[in-house]
Amino acid sequence: MEVRWSIFLIILGTSLVTFLPRVLPLLILNRLQLPDWGIRWLNYVPIAVMAALVGQELFLEDGSLAPFPANLEVIAAIPTFLMAILSRSLLGTVLVGIVSIMVLRMFV
């Protein structure tokens, strides 16, 4: 098998570009003592990122706001969110979401 050096260098470059932004903050923040307000603020970052991803997927269709009655994902999200709040089970939440969207797509 022949190795193309240009492809190898592209793979090496992209791995560095994705690796460095993830590792450098960890190395720098590991040596610093963050104040309590900074740690509390960082606790909200995963929730905000997840809300942005889910919100964009639920409410946008082809870059514009999707109409509610035709948006099956929003309707399927209601029992999914209820399951997540009531059970705090990741597996149960995923299963309810999959079954909800499957049933809605089958019958609507």
Side-chain angles (χ1 to χ4, degrees), residues 87-95:
S87 74
R88 306 249 182 214
S89 165
L90 180 62
L91 179 62
T93 302
V94 170
L95 290 176

Side-chain angles (χ1 to χ4, degrees), residues 10-62:
I10 290 172
I11 292 172
L12 186 65
T14 55
S15 64
L16 283 174
V17 167
T18 58
F19 180 74
L20 288 178
R22 295 174 189 197
V23 171
L24 285 179
L26 290 175
L27 292 175
I28 293 170
L29 291 175
N30 192 22
R31 301 185 198 292
L32 297 176
Q33 180 64 30
L34 293 175
D36 287 338
W37 63 267
I39 293 172
R40 282 194 314 269
W41 181 79
L42 286 173
N43 284 334
Y44 292 106
V45 171
I47 298 167
V49 169
M50 191 62 163
L53 292 172
V54 170
Q56 184 178 17
E57 190 65 33
L58 285 179
F59 299 115
L60 293 180
E61 184 177 301
D62 295 330

